Amino acid sequence: MRLYDNVRRTVSQLAYERRYGVRTAELINLDQLGIAGENRGYYVPASWRTLRRTLSRGEIGPADVFVDFGSGMGRMVLEAARFPFGRAIGVELAPQLHEIALRNLRTTRQRLRCKDVEFVNGDAMTYEIPADVSVVFFNNPFQGAVFTSVVTRLVATLDRNPRRLKVIYYNPVEQQTLLDTGRARLVRTMAHARKRVAG
């Protein structure tokens, strides 16, 4: 049954990507990209439906900013751009994945409501987090000291600019690190395809 579900899901994703003119449905080990290291795993995209299951269109407006850390080929940024965000940003360390994301942005046939979409090829450890980011997405892109550093800097933006910040964490390996800040609370957990989404 699991094999059937996996095949069906893969076929469905490939059909979706062909329809919308993008390429994101791949699993890639980071050593193939030359960026393997401690606290880094592999690239595999979250489900296309993740944001539609965790965000309502009514809660997003032009003042909202979306950031995906470890954005890979850009799937979640493109999905976020279907919401009326003011900005949607993907931060990706691997130049090869970044280039594919840029190509996907140029070729997509999706209707993007967000008109300011940006892909940044850079390290999440040094990326300057926007002071007005309101939705952050993680698909377990890194763990340990890297994750702690990014979360610490996210919290610092809240100290400088108090606001509501929603974190959508797909495959939340480091969930406790978020909760240990004392600034986060688990609002909802959703099961999906043997993974869990925490927001």
Side-chain angles (χ1 to χ4, degrees):
M1 189 66 167
R2 183 177 297 171
L3 176 61
Y4 170 77
D5 288 342
N6 287 341
V7 169
R8 186 182 64 171
R9 186 164 51 251
T10 299
V11 169
S12 174
Q13 289 194 15
L14 290 174
Y16 184 95
E17 299 209 336
R18 183 171 181 179
R19 176 183 175 189
Y20 287 108
V22 296
R23 168 195 167 199
T24 67
E26 295 177 39
L27 187 153
I28 302 174
N29 289 319
L30 298 189
D31 55 359
Q32 295 174 254
L33 302 171
I35 60 169
E38 188 177 359
N39 300 320
R40 295 181 185 146
Y42 52 85
Y43 166 77
V44 62
S47 166
W48 278 107
R49 295 188 298 272
T50 300
L51 296 187
R52 281 172 278 174
R53 296 183 70 206
T54 53
L55 295 174
S56 66
R57 293 189 185 275
E59 71 178 301
I60 301 301
D64 287 296
V65 176
F66 175 91
V67 176
D68 177 4
F69 287 99
S71 52
M73 298 181 186
R75 178 182 287 190
M76 283 301 104
V77 176
L78 291 175
E79 190 64 8
R82 298 179 73 179
F83 289 80
F85 280 100
R87 289 187 291 157
I89 305 163
V91 182
E92 174 54 50
L93 181 62
Q96 300 95 315
L97 299 183
H98 171 71
E99 289 301 320
I100 294 170
L102 291 175
R103 189 179 319 129
N104 284 332
L105 180 60
R106 290 192 301 269
T107 62
T108 185
R109 293 187 290 271
Q110 296 166 290
R111 179 176 175 264
L112 305 183
R113 298 180 68 187
C114 174
K115 303 307 179 189
D116 189 350
V117 179
E118 178 185 8
F119 288 105
V120 176
N121 182 204
D123 193 330
M125 293 273 284
T126 56
Y127 171 69
E128 186 173 344
I129 301 172
D132 54 350
V133 60
S134 55
V135 178
V136 168
F137 183 81
F138 294 107
N139 181 13
N140 189 29
F142 33 71
Q143 301 88 41
V146 179
F147 188 83
T148 300
S149 171
V150 172
V151 167
T152 299
R153 292 188 301 111
L154 268 174
V155 169
T157 71
L158 293 174
D159 292 335
R160 293 192 297 270
N161 179 27
R163 66 199 184 282
R164 181 175 177 268
L165 174 63
K166 184 169 192 170
V167 176
I168 302 170
Y169 195 171
Y170 194 91
N171 191 15
V173 172
E174 292 275 3
Q175 175 177 288
Q176 195 57 48
T177 300
L178 272 174
L179 298 177
D180 287 348
T181 65
R183 304 288 290 275
R185 64 186 174 90
L186 182 63
V187 174
R188 187 166 41 139
T189 301
M190 298 191 310
H192 178 76
R194 299 173 57 223
K195 294 187 179 181
R196 303 188 73 79
V197 180

